[in-house]
Amino acid sequence: MASKPHPPLMKKHSQSDLVSRLKTRKILGVGGEDDDGEVHRSKLSQMLGNDIKYQVREPVGLRVWILISAVAFTVMALMALVLPKQLYDIVFEEEINNTSVSIRLYGGALLSLSLIMWNGVYTQEKIIIQWTLLSEACYFAIQFLVTSVTLVEMGSLPNAAIFLLLSRVIFLLVTLLYYYYLGRGRPKKI
C-alpha cells in the first residue's frame, strides 16, 4: 500500500499570524523583555497566584540607601518623640519651652515615613520603591525649606543647622538620583 505524501509545510508570514504568536508568547510568559528591560509575569502565573517576581534592574547601592534612610528616619523619630527639647537645642542652639508638642508631632510623622522606608527595604515591586524614594525626596526638600525659613526668621546660623541643611541637600540629590535611575531603566534598542 502506497502512503500518501504529506503536503509541504507552510510557513506563516502574514502580519496577523505574527501578532497572534507574540500575543500567545506574552500570555504564556515566554520570551524576552519589554522596552524597559523588565520581564513581566505571564497572565497564567498571575491568574494562578504565582508570586515569584522576576528581578528588577536596580541601581548599585539602592537597597543600602533605603536601609540607611529607614534607620535614620527611625532614630530621628524616636529622638523627637522621647527627647524633643534636646533635639531642638542641638539643631538651633537655642532653648525654647513651647516646642515639645510640635516636635513630638514631627517625630510621629517621621515614624510614619520610616515605616514606608522599612517597607521599601523588603519589597521587590519597582513602583513601591519609586514611591518610597519620592516621599523621601519630598521630605528632604520640605525640611530644607522649613529649616531655611526658620533660620532666616531667627537671624542666626548655628553650625548644627548649617550641617543639617547641607546634609539635606546631599540626601535629596542622592535620593533623586536613585529615583531617576530606577525610573529610567535601560535605554531602548533602536
Side-chain angles (χ1 to χ4, degrees):
M1 219 169 162
S3 66
K4 284 184 173 175
H6 294 287
L9 294 175
M10 302 287 285
K11 292 186 179 179
K12 294 182 179 182
H13 288 292
S14 72
Q15 181 70 18
S16 63
D17 289 337
L18 291 175
V19 170
S20 176
R21 279 188 194 174
L22 289 173
K23 284 182 181 178
T24 303
R25 291 175 69 82
K26 186 175 180 182
I27 288 172
L28 294 175
V30 208
E33 306 168 337
D34 65 2
D35 291 339
D36 294 331
E38 293 182 25
V39 179
H40 295 284
R41 293 186 342 196
S42 70
K43 298 291 182 195
L44 293 175
S45 67
Q46 290 175 10
M47 289 171 55
L48 294 174
N50 188 354
D51 287 335
I52 298 173
K53 183 70 180 165
Y54 294 100
Q55 183 177 1
V56 175
R57 294 181 188 260
E58 294 178 353
V60 176
L62 174 66
R63 294 295 174 164
V64 174
W65 178 255
I66 295 175
L67 178 66
I68 290 170
S69 297
V71 169
F73 273 61
T74 304
V75 168
M76 286 299 292
L78 293 176
M79 283 179 60
L81 288 170
V82 176
L83 306 167
K85 291 181 182 179
Q86 290 80 357
L87 184 64
Y88 186 87
D89 293 344
I90 290 170
V91 174
F92 295 107
E93 295 178 359
E94 186 175 300
E95 212 174 294
I96 270 192
N97 297 328
N98 309 356
T99 59
S100 62
V101 172
S102 59
I103 293 178
R104 283 195 171 115
L105 287 172
Y106 166 74
L110 269 184
L111 194 59
S112 301
L113 277 174
S114 74
L115 294 176
I116 294 171
M117 301 294 154
W118 284 111
N119 186 32
V121 171
Y122 298 110
T123 188
Q124 293 295 320
E125 298 289 330
K126 180 180 176 181
I127 193 72
I128 293 175
I129 295 171
Q130 285 179 315
W131 276 105
T132 301
L133 292 170
L134 188 62
S135 60
E136 183 179 355
C138 288
Y139 166 77
F140 289 138
I142 290 170
Q143 188 181 29
F144 177 81
L145 291 173
V146 168
T147 306
S148 299
V149 168
T150 304
L151 290 173
V152 168
E153 287 175 350
M154 287 174 51
S156 66
L157 283 171
N159 290 336
I162 292 172
F163 175 73
L164 178 71
L165 289 175
L166 289 176
S167 68
R168 293 310 175 228
V169 168
I170 291 169
F171 291 163
L172 176 65
L173 291 175
V174 170
T175 302
L176 287 176
L177 183 69
Y178 277 126
Y179 178 78
Y180 172 75
Y181 186 81
L182 189 64
R184 189 185 67 166
R186 282 193 328 183
K188 294 182 180 179
K189 296 177 185 175
I190 297 176

